[in-house]
């Protein structure tokens, strides 16, 4: 569906839980956590996705919180993937529960995964996220083997935490067929509010003249991609703060408690509970209004008070 500024909104990011098994320093937010009891069911998500598909959504990403904490994640995947009109189903995950499950997720209908990995040093990784590096690396290999490809690795760069590892991450693409994407720290958690913690993607790129510009995988993608001679994978840079890509934004978001949100940068949400009870026509009207009225841009630079809770929104 085309919004008030002429953008084609066809990509739904569905946050299926706010619960998470990690505590990333740049993401953590203690407020506004949706309790498990208030999470929408697989059936409710399926009805919402069906309505979005009628309005032209063809691409869905499951996120959170950690989506693999949902016991019914296979049911969610199967229902979403079987919705008429949904061509692409992906997931953003910390991969801690991927080992032993990747092939089953693929079989249920998941097309591909983005895996968050902020350090290749086990101790730094533990400090930044509370996570276990070996588990994530095993999860990446299993995702590749299961065909959840292209596997994309999301690295949020934070000064004085992982910025010394940029070349180690680039080196990972030499032997692994993965897209490593450096994501500029957004002003969402406490760390992100301090400009001093943010690195400039432009500076990282200009210091590495061997990066060869690549055409995007698809039009309007947020990352700017590069190839490196002799490497199996590619490197991408996502710069939501320094280089807004709102003019090309095609996204709409739904939270785990069934609230629709038009923009990552604005806390305004509309509940879908009532329209769901009223039936499909009411649901379509509510979604249409949310999509049409999507804000022009996130305005991160004007106020750091918007969008505090990434764990709720799911990126
Ligand atoms: N639990 C899953 C995971 O870890 O990938 C999905 C949810 S997580 C909130 C989604 C993405 O948001 C992750 O790649 C994470 O690194 C990113 N993220 C969280 N806070 C961020 C921030 N302040 N700036 C940039 N990216 C952030």
């Amino acid at each position: 569906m085309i919004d008030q500024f002429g953008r084609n909104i066809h990509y739904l990011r569905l946050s299926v839980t706010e619960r998470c098994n990690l505590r990333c320093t740049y993401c953590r937010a203690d407020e506004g956590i949706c309790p498990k009891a208030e999470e929408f069911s697989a059936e409710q998500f399926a009805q919402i996705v069906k309505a979005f598909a009628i309005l032209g959504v063809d691409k869905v990403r499951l996120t959170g919180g950690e989506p693999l904490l949902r016991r019914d994640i296979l049911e969610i995947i199967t229902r979403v993937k079987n919705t008429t009109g949904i061509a692409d189903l992906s997931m953003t995950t910390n991969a801690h529960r991927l080992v032993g499950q990747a092939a089953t997720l693929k079989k249920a209908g998941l097309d591909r995964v983005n895996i968050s990995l902020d350090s290749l040093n086990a101790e730094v990784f533990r400090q930044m996220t509370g996570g276990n590096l070996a588990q994530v690396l095993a999860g990446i290999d299993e995702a590749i083997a299961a065909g959840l490809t292209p596997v994309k690795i999301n690295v949020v760069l934070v000064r004085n935490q992982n910025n010394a590892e940029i070349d180690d991450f680039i080196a990972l693409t030499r032997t692994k067929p993965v897209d490593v994407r450096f994501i500029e720290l957004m002003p969402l958690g406490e760390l992100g509010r301090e400009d001093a913690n943010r690195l400039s993607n432009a500076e990282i790129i200009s210091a590495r003249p061997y990066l060869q510009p690549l055409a995007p995988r698809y039009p309007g993608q947020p990352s700017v991609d590069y190839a490196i001679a002799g490497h199996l994978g590619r490197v991408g840079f996502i710069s939501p703060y320094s280089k807004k890509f709102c003019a090309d934004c095609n996204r709409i978001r739904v939270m785990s408690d069934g609230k629709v949100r038009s923009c990552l940068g604005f806390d305004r949400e509309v509940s879908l509970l009532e329209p769901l009870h009223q039936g499909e026509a009411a649901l379509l009207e509510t979604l249409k209004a949310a999509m049409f009225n999507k804000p022009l841009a996130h305005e991160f630079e004007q106020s750091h008070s918007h969008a505090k809770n990434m764990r709720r929104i799911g990126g």
Side-chain angles (χ1 to χ4, degrees):
M1 150 163 188
I2 306 297
D3 80 353
Q4 60 177 330
F5 300 110
R7 297 169 296 193
N8 181 11
I9 314 302
H10 65 100
Y11 174 16
L12 169 65
R13 295 180 65 104
L14 186 57
S15 173
V16 292
T17 182
E18 288 179 34
R19 292 173 289 125
C20 194
N21 43 355
L22 296 191
R23 292 288 178 272
C24 302
T25 47
Y26 53 78
C27 180
R28 196 162 52 202
D30 297 326
E31 58 191 276
I33 299 296
C34 163
K36 190 175 177 187
E38 284 172 30
E39 288 173 359
F40 265 32
S41 65
E43 166 70 31
Q44 286 169 309
F45 286 140
Q47 287 172 347
I48 292 169
V49 171
K50 181 176 173 231
F52 269 120
I54 291 170
L55 296 173
V57 165
D58 58 2
K59 182 174 165 180
V60 178
R61 172 171 300 278
L62 305 176
T63 180
E66 173 49 41
L68 293 179
L69 292 188
R70 285 279 305 221
R71 291 223 177 96
D72 56 354
I73 193 67
L74 291 176
E75 185 187 348
I76 295 174
I77 289 171
T78 305
R79 281 175 174 268
V80 172
K81 186 62 181 183
N82 287 339
T83 306
T84 304
I86 301 302
D88 181 66
L89 176 60
S90 57
M91 178 189 285
T92 303
T93 173
N94 61 40
H96 279 67
R97 294 204 172 183
L98 208 48
V99 170
Q101 246 209 120
T104 314
L105 295 168
K106 176 80 185 180
K107 210 169 151 207
L110 188 65
D111 292 310
R112 57 201 173 84
V113 284
N114 287 9
I115 295 177
S116 303
L117 173 60
D118 299 314
S119 175
L120 294 169
N121 173 309
E123 183 49 27
V124 174
F125 184 64
R126 195 191 58 75
Q127 282 170 14
M128 284 185 79
T129 68
N132 179 313
L133 176 65
Q135 248 170 301
V136 183
L137 294 176
I140 291 171
D141 287 340
E142 207 177 298
I144 295 169
L148 290 169
T149 51
V151 171
K152 298 181 184 170
I153 312 280
N154 289 346
V155 186
V156 177
L157 288 174
V158 183
R159 195 178 300 281
N160 296 329
Q161 293 196 14
N162 59 355
N163 55 307
E165 296 186 47
I166 295 169
D167 292 309
D168 298 339
F169 274 108
I170 293 175
L172 195 67
T173 65
R174 195 166 60 77
T175 51
K176 285 195 196 297
V178 293
D179 289 17
V180 167
R181 291 132 37 101
F182 296 106
I183 305 181
E184 204 174 54
L185 179 67
M186 288 187 252
L188 300 174
E190 270 171 43
L191 273 179
R193 291 195 194 107
E194 293 298 327
D195 279 339
N197 293 327
R198 214 176 331 277
L199 277 95
S200 153
N201 275 342
E203 282 174 26
I204 297 169
I205 296 165
S206 65
R208 292 168 178 79
Y210 59 84
L211 293 173
Q212 303 159 2
L214 274 173
R217 283 194 191 275
Y218 57 87
Q221 74 172 33
S223 73
V224 178
D225 292 345
Y226 294 84
I228 299 151
H231 286 217
L232 292 178
R234 51 167 82 186
V235 173
F237 294 86
I238 302 182
S239 316
Y241 192 74
S242 62
K243 248 189 174 175
K244 272 186 185 184
F245 36 79
C246 304
D248 292 324
C249 187
N250 52 15
R251 302 167 179 204
I252 185 92
R253 293 174 163 82
V254 169
M255 312 295 113
S256 52
D257 53 5
K259 291 191 174 136
V260 63
R261 183 180 184 113
S262 306
C263 172
L264 176 87
F266 285 85
D267 280 337
R268 201 176 109 76
E269 296 175 355
V270 177
S271 175
L272 299 177
L273 203 54
E274 199 47 43
L276 258 179
H277 282 143
Q278 289 168 358
E280 195 168 83
L283 184 57
L284 286 170
E285 277 320 301
T286 308
L287 297 184
K288 254 193 225 169
M291 291 163 97
F292 184 77
N293 294 319
K294 186 175 161 69
L296 182 61
H298 59 55
E299 296 183 357
F300 280 157
E301 72 286 2
Q302 284 180 28
S303 164
H304 285 183
S305 65
H306 294 309
K308 292 180 283 292
N309 197 334
M310 194 62 128
R311 206 164 134 186
R312 172 163 175 74
I313 313 163

